[in-house]
Amino acid sequence: VPVLTVDAKGRITSATTAALPQGSASYVMASTFTMTGANGVYQAVADSAGNVGIGVTAGTWEITMQVRGLVQAASGSVGNITARLVTATSVLVPGSEIIVAVGYSTNTCQATATVSVIVTTAVSTTYYISAMRDNATTWAMSTINSDANGRTRLTARQIS
């Protein structure tokens, strides 16, 4: 990465380079997760290997959460799936909440939503995806998916 030093008039006085931190991690969800929780209640998103999460070491990280959802409300209502990033102790990562998909009783909606957040941690920490379905009175379907039509994944890139 280039590192430029400038004087008070904005003129470059020296140019050097600095190495970027080398840390990175990723996890791609292995199978479909069928949501069964009550409206407005977040639940841990899990696949055949367990909860969908990613571990990072101490430092500052950019974590990107990509979630593919499939939703259809029933009985003439509208429903949505919302996802967020939480720590292993269920502490919300601020700014990580995203609406994944909104569905009506007359159609099925599948969509993929992505959000990136910057987190700083003093110790090794694991971050997980949690999701909720909300607003519909009954559900025809509500799933978090990861297949050839789109993936649910977490990636982390160390910044410092």
Side-chain angles (χ1 to χ4, degrees):
V1 172
V3 177
L4 304 175
T5 304
V6 296
D7 63 16
K9 294 182 179 181
R11 297 177 294 204
I12 297 173
T13 57
S14 68
T16 60
T17 59
L20 283 173
Q22 298 299 310
S24 67
S26 65
Y27 183 83
V28 178
M29 190 169 137
S31 59
T32 297
F33 173 72
T34 300
M35 301 181 74
T36 58
N39 278 355
V41 177
Y42 279 94
Q43 56 191 127
V45 175
D47 62 10
S48 55
N51 289 348
V52 177
I54 192 167
V56 299
T57 57
T60 300
W61 295 79
E62 176 186 38
I63 299 179
T64 301
M65 175 178 67
Q66 178 180 345
V67 181
R68 180 171 160 250
L70 179 82
V71 65
Q72 182 180 4
S75 304
S77 59
V78 178
N80 63 279
I81 295 174
T82 302
R84 66 184 186 176
L85 199 59
V86 296
T87 65
T89 56
S90 297
V91 174
L92 170 67
V93 174
S96 67
E97 308 93 332
I98 53 173
I99 292 180
V100 176
V102 177
Y104 300 84
S105 61
T106 56
N107 68 16
T108 301
C109 174
Q110 55 181 321
T112 302
T114 303
V115 65
S116 292
V117 293
I118 304 297
V119 298
T120 299
T121 179
V123 297
S124 294
T125 304
T126 302
Y127 295 93
Y128 295 98
I129 298 173
S130 68
M132 73 168 173
R133 55 189 189 171
D134 205 9
N135 297 317
T137 52
T138 57
W139 298 88
M141 64 182 68
S142 52
T143 58
I144 302 294
N145 303 76
S146 191
D147 57 31
N149 293 316
R151 303 289 175 194
T152 293
R153 72 181 85 223
L154 286 171
T155 58
R157 180 180 59 89
Q158 190 171 20
I159 297 170
S160 63

